[in-house]
């Protein structure tokens, strides 16, 4: 019985010790523009990753003149290759949080770009070399 309690305690403690956000893995980079280390004069970039460690979204915090975030969405095909390169788009938030990719595609791109296509598409040949 004592071993069961110690096992459950170990399981509970290991569940509390996660290293990133409970929703997404990310890397936050801050580049200060002067030596005062003020967050208002810093360039903050948050890059979110999927479960396989591939970049999923890049957010530049308060990067527009009206202090909105700029989000760049990254998608992969069935073989794990980045076949679509999306344009960065300003969003209505300014906190650097992850935005659901389904919400980015329609609304934000239509408001900011007049063209119907807001990405470039790569075509791969049928070869294991992925060219």
């Amino acid at each position: 019985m004592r071993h069961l309690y110690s096992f459950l305690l170990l399981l509970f403690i290991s569940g509390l010790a996660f290293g990133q956000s409970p929703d997404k893995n990310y890397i936050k980079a801050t580049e200060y523009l002067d030596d005062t280390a003020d967050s208002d004069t810093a360039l903050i970039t948050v890059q979110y990753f999927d479960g396989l460690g591939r970049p999923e979204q890049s957010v530049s915090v308060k990067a527009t003149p009206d202090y909105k975030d700029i989000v760049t969405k990254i998608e992969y095909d069935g073989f794990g290759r980045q076949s679509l390169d999306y344009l960065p788009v300003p969003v209505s938030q300014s906190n650097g949080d992850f935005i659901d990719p389904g919400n980015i595609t329609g609304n934000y791109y239509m408001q900011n770009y007049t063209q119907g296509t807001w990405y470039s598409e790569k075509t791969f040949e049928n070869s294991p070399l992925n060219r």
Side-chain angles (χ1 to χ4, degrees):
M1 191 70 163
R2 185 176 193 180
H3 295 288
L4 178 65
Y5 288 134
S6 61
F7 175 73
L8 291 176
L9 181 65
L10 179 65
L11 185 65
F12 178 72
I13 290 173
S14 65
L16 294 176
F18 53 87
Q20 297 290 333
S21 165
D23 298 325
K24 293 286 180 184
N25 292 326
Y26 64 92
I27 294 175
K28 182 178 178 181
T30 305
E31 181 180 347
Y32 295 102
L33 301 177
D34 57 9
D35 51 345
T36 61
D38 186 19
S39 64
D40 292 334
T41 60
L43 300 174
I44 301 171
T45 304
V46 182
Q47 190 167 19
Y48 292 95
F49 296 91
D50 63 0
L52 298 175
R54 301 177 299 188
E56 185 176 11
Q57 190 177 99
S58 178
V59 179
S60 298
V61 180
K62 297 180 184 178
T64 64
D66 56 346
Y67 298 107
K68 302 293 182 189
D69 290 353
I70 294 180
V71 176
T72 305
K73 181 172 88 166
I74 302 169
E75 281 189 10
Y76 299 94
D77 65 359
F79 295 107
R81 302 174 295 197
Q82 186 178 349
S83 60
L84 298 177
D85 291 327
Y86 283 90
L87 292 171
V89 62
V91 295
S92 59
Q93 70 179 18
S94 61
N95 54 7
D97 286 344
F98 181 80
I99 296 178
D100 181 33
N103 294 340
I104 297 173
T105 303
N107 300 335
Y108 294 112
Y109 280 107
M110 289 181 184
Q111 293 172 0
N112 294 293
Y113 298 109
T114 57
Q115 299 294 328
T117 305
W118 43 77
Y119 57 87
S120 65
E121 186 172 2
K122 298 175 193 166
T123 304
F124 297 101
E125 65 182 22
N126 292 331
S127 166
L129 300 176
N130 293 329
R131 296 185 287 181

